[in-house]
């Protein structure tokens, strides 16, 4: 189950994320759960594997925004780097960045489930 404590232990800046949700914990936790299950990371992987840089950038940028607003720093950090690479039309060496975002997402899903 998600709590402020589990999110803080994960590395999220809960105070920042909550402030963007008018300090409504129920809303914040709901948005975090929605972000974890939206399937956009899988779509990003597909776009990158297809070397579709335009779609990859759009997906990475959207994911970066969601995770920034929720202050989920461990997921945000690799996504931000990947977004900037794609903004520069650099489609190389994306795998470690995406893999880190996927790993952190799975870690947070496990915390939420457990």
């Amino acid at each position: 189950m998600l709590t402020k404590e589990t999110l803080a232990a994960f590395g999220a800046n809960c105070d920042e994320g909550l402030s963007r949700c008018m300090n409504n914990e129920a809303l914040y936790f709901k948005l975090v759960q929605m972000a974890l299950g939206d399937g956009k990371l899988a779509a990003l992987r597909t776009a990158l594997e297809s070397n579709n840089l335009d779609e990859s950038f759009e997906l990475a940028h959207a994911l970066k925004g969601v995770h920034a607003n929720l202050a989920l720093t461990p997921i945000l950090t690799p996504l931000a780097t990947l977004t900037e690479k794609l903004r520069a039309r650099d489609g190389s060496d994306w795998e470690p960045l995406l893999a880190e975002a996927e790993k952190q997402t799975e870690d947070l899903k496990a915390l939420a489930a457990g």
Side-chain angles (χ1 to χ4, degrees):
M1 177 173 172
L2 289 179
T3 65
K4 285 177 63 174
E5 292 76 23
T6 59
L7 284 171
F10 171 71
N13 184 336
C14 294
D15 291 336
E16 184 180 328
L18 278 166
S19 72
R20 291 194 177 104
C21 294
M22 300 170 290
N23 291 314
N24 181 332
E25 284 188 23
L27 174 61
Y28 179 59
F29 296 143
K30 179 180 177 179
L31 292 173
V32 169
Q33 290 283 10
M34 289 173 63
L36 292 175
D38 72 2
K40 286 199 176 17
L41 271 177
L44 176 57
R45 176 169 287 286
T46 299
L48 285 164
E49 287 172 347
S50 300
N51 201 34
N52 184 336
L53 295 181
D54 292 332
E55 183 179 359
S56 297
F57 171 73
E58 292 300 322
L59 286 163
H61 190 263
L63 283 163
K64 180 185 93 166
V66 167
H67 290 86
N69 282 326
L70 296 173
L72 300 175
T73 308
I75 303 170
L76 169 62
T77 300
L79 287 173
T81 303
L82 180 57
T83 299
E84 293 313 308
K85 284 178 66 64
L86 292 168
R87 184 185 310 277
R89 310 273 308 149
D90 179 359
S92 66
D93 300 322
W94 55 265
E95 176 62 37
L97 294 168
L98 184 59
E100 181 62 19
E102 291 168 334
K103 179 201 174 300
Q104 294 298 330
T105 299
E106 290 305 313
D107 289 351
L108 185 51
K109 283 181 182 180
L111 283 174

